[in-house]
Amino acid sequence: MDKHLEHAGIHQNFIFETVVTYVGNGYHSHVGTFIAPMSGTYVFSATLVSFYHVSAHAQFVKNGQAVTTMYVSGAEAGYDTTSQTIVLQLQKGDDVTVQNSDTDKSFYGGSHSTFSGFLLFEDFSSPSVVGK
Amino acid sequence: MDKHLEHAGIHQNFIFETVVTYVGNGYHSHVGTFIAPMSGTYVFSATLVSFYHVSAHAQFVKNGQAVTTMYVSGAEAGYDTTSQTIVLQLQKGDDVTVQNSDTDKSFYGGSHSTFSGFLLFEDFSSPSVVGK
Amino acid sequence: MDKHLEHAGIHQNFIFETVVTYVGNGYHSHVGTFIAPMSGTYVFSATLVSFYHVSAHAQFVKNGQAVTTMYVSGAEAGYDTTSQTIVLQLQKGDDVTVQNSDTDKSFYGGSHSTFSGFLLFEDFSSPSVVGK
């Protein structure tokens, strides 16, 4: 994430411009959303850094549903870093984002906050793959 | 982890009820233990969150032997998050847990503390796979 | 990392002696450098822990170029842990290190600070693999 995410509203997406990631063509960096190009098992990892003396929540969201919660505890810690790595089974077209989940919060960018992901196994039993 | 882990004793397992993970049928959530269903190379990642103003140690444990150490520094930081991602070669039947390693410590649940894992490569040269 | 990294200079490598990792024969622990044994897509994860009341920066470095930034905020937090998981496409012979990036900083060892990595996909289209 090159730019800081400042004064973010609830459910606002993180936009990770720096793609040090391997998610095929699935990561749409203008909106900060990963859309699964095929059905399968995917691994995602995010690292978020707080603004100085700011505490804030964020979450992995799949198709609009929160999957996990992340918390940066900058209020007392100065700057705080949190990371989370998750494994998700996705159908083709499912979307995954990292969203701020509090009102008016800011996070640190500048290559400190990162998002990575990869396809682990393609699901060949899915109708979207086996077409006949 | 839906419930907080409160007043845990030494070597008490973390119980991750929320399985946002892909470890086949290997994760036995009633005891908090992963048992390898086949020999191979596995990846595990855990994120732990401290209670407010509590510092505590935890560890990845393979067959009863500590592999790494994790530390949440909540005493001064308020809430603190720690994550660790490791790669382990397991024989069929090996078990992997995340354990508290101090006396009477508590950790935060509520989807903040997560455990994920996946089989990276099956080991076809293992006697348990090649049966003849 | 068994030993602490003390008074490290700028661009000094972290030396992870404890190899709880699977990076083939690619990790050269005497210098703390991973050298890709074949072209492909690799996943790396590092967990770093601060000294008590020390804040410091570190970075993943590919062929001498910084890829991401990590920050431990020990100054106010006591001890602070930071983790980052990244995915990189490497050519055979590319090197990846984790380096301290400030002057005279120290990090905590003793199995708290870990490095792991694995080959996700071999790139069979690479000239180094298809030799004809």
Side-chain angles (χ1 to χ4, degrees), chain C residues 4-75:
Chain C
H4 304 318
L5 177 68
E6 298 189 68
H7 304 296
I10 298 177
H11 301 312
Q12 184 170 335
N13 288 356
F14 284 80
I15 308 287
F16 297 94
E17 293 96 351
T18 311
V19 185
V20 281
T21 68
Y22 185 72
V23 284
N25 299 314
Y27 191 72
H28 300 258
S29 62
H30 55 298
V31 288
T33 300
F34 174 77
I35 300 176
M38 61 190 75
S39 297
T41 302
Y42 290 82
V43 179
F44 298 97
S45 185
T47 295
L48 305 177
V49 181
S50 74
F51 255 39
Y52 187 60
H53 278 192
V54 172
S55 291
H57 290 86
Q59 49 198 12
F60 271 105
V61 175
K62 174 187 169 185
N63 295 340
Q65 298 278 333
V67 176
T68 61
T69 306
M70 289 177 274
Y71 185 70
V72 286
S73 176

